[in-house]
Amino acid sequence: MTDPSDSYIISLFSNSETKTEGFKLLLKKYKEKVYWHVRRIVISHDDANDVVQNTFIKIWENLDNFHGDSKLYTWIYRIATNESINFISKKKSALFISIDELNENFLDHLKDDANFKGDDIEINLIKAINQLPPKQRLVFYLRYFSNMSYKDISEVMHTSENTLKSSYHQAMKKIKKFFSSTY
Amino acid sequence: MKLNNFEKDQIQKAFDSYEVPEDYFDFLEKKILNNTIHKRKNISNKILTTSLLSISIAILSIIIYINNKNTYQDIDNFSKNYHFSILSNDSNLYVLDDKNKILYLNIDSNETSVINVLNELNIPENQKNSIKLNFKLLKNNLIAYNKDKNIESDKTSSAKIKNEKMDITTSLYMPREICSEKPILLSPSIPNIEQYNFKWSNGETGNKIYISESGTYSITITPINDQTSKPLYATTKVRILPPPTDISPKHLSGCVGSEVTLTLNIDTSKYEVEWMNTNKKSKSINVSTPGVYVAKIIGCQTYLDTFVVSFYHCDVIIPNAITPNGDGVNDRFEIKNIEKYPNTQVYIYSNDGKLIYQSKNYQNDWDASDVRAGTYMYKIIFQDKISQNGTLLIIK
């Protein structure tokens, strides 16, 4: 079964009787995409689980505020991205360590993580990508994994397309540098 | 700048290392739906749940701690006009009518004695059946509850027993009404209290709330580990009514022919009032005859407020001193306006209580010629039985 179109889902929101049906379709269509997007940012499954639930609760609570002037999926990604970043900064302030240290921390635990099957090669690559500045990392994730256009990413991140292009370029450069130094 | 195929493979492999538990996305979907769409439905279900309370099985009960005494649980609401109550002090079962009159039933009562009591109550047949049914359920649940309490006090209780407890936790009851003279602590008594989330209507989330103000309080209880189960909901009306502060006997007086107003120093919107022997229910009454007036003040308990009312002939003026020296001024015990009241009795007593003068029809003629100077007491009784006492100083 193919996923229903966003415009069909949006049309259901306008009526209070079909609103729940619309949300169910939205959840079915986006739960995995949102989960993986969040997981890449927060890394551990347990944290991603929390953030994704909060994301969809927020989406449900704010459905009435969604007027279709932005695309449904960039709206969803924006909420998910914001929730993830908020989560990380909360965690960071709770632990009183820098975000880099925090990444180190997450990544050190990756090996023992029951929901991570990679070995040192995979961990080192993820570590390298996580050392990218947050903005470059987000652009990379959205563009590379979610196949988003710069226009859509600029809606998600509230950043101009040119800045995003340059961030993506920087990210690629660093990743390529990592590969050339490793292999 | 583009990644080559090797680099792409490596990245793919790295991010493919992230895994999720089996069936995670189904779980995620259910969990989100429970916290969004179904959460909203649950709110509207509350009303339904409340109405279902009267026919479902009572297990959770509420313990109210009132001044550490009279701790009781109350399981009620089983029919329109009657409810059962269990006092933990004696584990007896009571049936109360709508006026809270207690019609006693022992916990060991068999069905026949229940029916006998119900017949005495003169209640409709259909209600009788519901009471019989509820008595059975309640009795079983009380036994289960007591068993449960014993299990809980046993520190070695196993997880298996805990599961049994969960099974009987099907509904939540609170007393319909509570009246207390002091702030109370309202707390549900449930086995494994730590396994539930509490949400009170005032926003508090603890397992007990301190109530110092009258109002309607409700509680929603959800098991922490089972978000899908229906929340339990109960509501209770709490009145916090301190005893009336001013109920010492009061003495009031007035003039004959006028009225004296007796006013209770309470808020009649909170207390029920009844003036004895008059059936009046107002905050104040007017009286015109002497006597003792008593008002019943009904809060959580009944208090009596007493008024002693006396009446005087206000136009009668009695001197408090006389100077019998023959100068024509204050020579006699002259009561002004006594001529209006024929057959007035006057008695004069000495300090040691000895009667030294009396008259059945006083004519303002006593001059104290046969007594020494000093303080004396008088008693004047009018024909209409109104009497007045006082002291009289005789100066010579």
Side-chain angles (χ1 to χ4, degrees), chain B residues 115-127:
Chain B
I115 291 165
N116 286 342
V117 173
L118 295 181
N119 287 339
E120 281 172 36
L121 294 180
N122 192 22
I123 54 173
E125 261 331 296
N126 55 350
Q127 275 203 31

Side-chain angles (χ1 to χ4, degrees), chain A:
Chain A
M1 199 186 89
T2 53
D3 282 325
S5 72
D6 282 0
S7 54
Y8 174 67
I9 293 175
I10 292 168
S11 72
L12 295 174
F13 293 158
S14 54
N15 185 326
S16 59
E17 278 170 25
T18 56
K19 192 175 143 184
T20 55
E21 194 48 42
F23 182 74
K24 280 183 194 166
L25 291 176
L26 178 151
L27 183 59
K28 263 199 166 56
K29 183 172 174 180
Y30 283 107
K31 65 185 180 200
E32 292 195 34
K33 288 174 184 162
V34 168
Y35 172 83
W36 289 117
H37 175 60
V38 170
R39 176 84 185 262
R40 279 173 215 124
I41 302 172
V42 302
I43 297 165
S44 102
H45 165 72
D46 289 340
D47 292 342
N49 180 35
D50 288 346
V51 172
V52 171
Q53 289 185 40
N54 289 341
T55 300
F56 280 101
I57 290 169
K58 267 221 167 111
I59 289 170
W60 169 250
E61 285 170 352
N62 288 290
L63 267 191
D64 294 335
N65 302 332
F66 179 78
H67 294 301
D69 44 2
S70 62
K71 282 184 191 161
L72 183 66
Y73 95 107
T74 58
W75 183 64
I76 292 169
Y77 270 82
R78 189 162 76 227
I79 293 173
T81 306
N82 288 341
E83 283 293 309
S84 307
I85 290 167
N86 286 345
F87 174 84
I88 287 180
S89 41
K90 249 188 230 161
K91 194 156 180 169
K92 181 192 140 197
S93 61
L95 294 168
F96 296 107
I97 54 169
S98 76
I99 202 150
D100 293 337
E101 280 175 278
L102 186 72
N103 280 334
E104 282 295 311
N105 229 325
F106 284 162
L107 297 163
D108 287 343
H109 289 112
L110 261 187
K111 253 189 189 170
D112 314 321
D113 194 328
N115 294 308
F116 187 84
K117 65 169 181 199
D119 52 27
D120 286 349
I121 300 169
E122 283 79 29
I123 289 176
N124 283 337
L125 179 57
I126 288 169
K127 267 187 181 175
I129 292 172
N130 266 282
Q131 273 156 12
L132 296 172
K135 195 172 260 180
Q136 291 180 17
R137 194 157 24 118
L138 283 176
V139 181
F140 173 72
Y141 287 154
L142 289 168
R143 179 122 181 100
Y144 191 84
F145 289 105
S146 304
N147 296 318
M148 266 192 201
S149 67
Y150 284 118
K151 190 169 171 288
D152 290 345
I153 297 171
S154 89
E155 275 188 30
V156 173
M157 291 176 62
H158 281 295
T159 311
S160 78
E161 286 183 45
N162 283 335
T163 314
L164 291 172
K165 274 177 194 166
S166 121
S167 293
Y168 185 72
H169 185 76
Q170 293 295 324
M172 278 303 198
K173 221 162 117 182
K174 282 175 190 165
I175 290 165
K176 274 197 110 56
K177 199 176 157 197
F178 166 80
F179 278 120
S180 60
S181 65
T182 311
Y183 300 97

Side-chain angles (χ1 to χ4, degrees), chain B residues 13-244:
Chain B
K13 235 176 112 186
F15 283 90
D16 280 350
S17 305
Y18 289 134
E19 287 184 325
V20 292
E22 217 182 317
D23 296 329
Y24 168 68
F25 288 107
D26 289 341
F27 159 83
L28 179 69
E29 188 173 327
K30 266 186 209 148
K31 188 116 191 184
I32 290 170
L33 289 177
N34 277 335
N35 284 319
T36 53
I37 294 170
H38 296 147
K39 197 176 181 181
R40 188 161 285 197
K41 275 187 186 160
N42 283 340
I43 293 166
S44 57
N45 276 346
K46 275 182 189 173
I47 299 156
L48 182 68
T49 315
T50 318
S51 61
L52 283 173
L53 279 181
S54 53
I55 51 162
S56 49
I57 299 166
I59 267 306
L60 296 190
S61 50
I62 294 282
I63 289 191
I64 306 130
Y65 303 96
I66 303 172
N67 309 331
N68 297 324
K69 60 171 186 178
N70 291 339
T71 305
Y72 66 90
Q73 310 113 31
D74 194 346
I75 301 174
D76 69 353
N77 222 1
F78 72 83
S79 74
K80 204 175 170 189
N81 298 319
Y82 295 85
H83 61 278
F84 280 118
S85 189
I86 298 164
L87 302 172
S88 64
N89 297 348
D90 53 11
S91 289
N92 279 327
L93 197 60
Y94 297 81
V95 60
L96 308 174
D97 66 11
D98 56 343
K99 290 179 184 72
N100 276 356
K101 197 175 138 201
I102 296 173
L103 307 138
Y104 175 82
L105 285 175
N106 193 282
I107 184 62
D108 296 315
S109 303
N110 55 26
E111 189 130 87
T112 325
S113 65
V114 175
I115 291 165
N116 286 342
V117 173
L118 295 181
N119 287 339
E120 281 172 36
L121 294 180
N122 192 22
I123 54 173
E125 261 331 296
N126 55 350
Q127 275 203 31
K128 267 185 206 170
N129 286 332
S130 124
I131 292 171
K132 277 182 230 162
L133 177 68
N134 277 281
F135 175 74
K136 263 187 174 171
L137 291 172
L138 194 67
K139 196 175 156 181
N140 290 339
N141 288 319
L142 183 71
I143 292 162
Y145 179 79
N146 286 333
K147 203 175 106 193
D148 215 44
K149 268 206 304 206
N150 296 337
I151 290 166
E152 199 168 35
S153 62
D154 180 7
K155 298 278 186 215
T156 60
S157 64
S158 66
K160 196 184 157 202
I161 294 167
K162 276 182 183 170
N163 284 338
E164 282 171 15
K165 286 181 193 173
M166 294 297 286
D167 290 337
I168 53 172
T169 310
T170 52
S171 191
L172 165 69
Y173 277 74
M174 289 217 279
R176 266 177 303 191
E177 279 195 336
I178 298 168
C179 189
S180 169
E181 300 191 329
K182 292 194 173 160
I184 58 165
L185 212 50
L186 192 60
S187 167
S189 166
I190 329 164
N192 304 316
I193 198 162
E194 71 283 358
Q195 295 183 6
Y196 294 86
N197 282 321
F198 297 85
K199 179 93 180 154
W200 297 85
S201 51
N202 62 357
E204 287 189 37
T205 52
N207 57 32
K208 56 183 102 163
I209 53 169
Y210 181 75
I211 299 178
S212 60
E213 275 180 34
S214 301
T216 302
Y217 295 83
S218 50
I219 184 174
T220 310
I221 297 182
T222 36
I224 289 172
N225 296 327
D226 187 7
Q227 298 286 342
T228 54
S229 78
K230 268 191 184 168
L232 307 170
Y233 181 78
T235 187
T236 195
K237 198 174 152 195
V238 179
R239 285 192 303 154
I240 305 290
L241 267 184

Side-chain angles (χ1 to χ4, degrees), chain B residues 298-309:
Chain B
I298 304 156
C300 295
Q301 293 180 34
T302 301
Y303 294 86
L304 299 179
D305 200 356
T306 311
F307 295 82
V308 180
V309 183

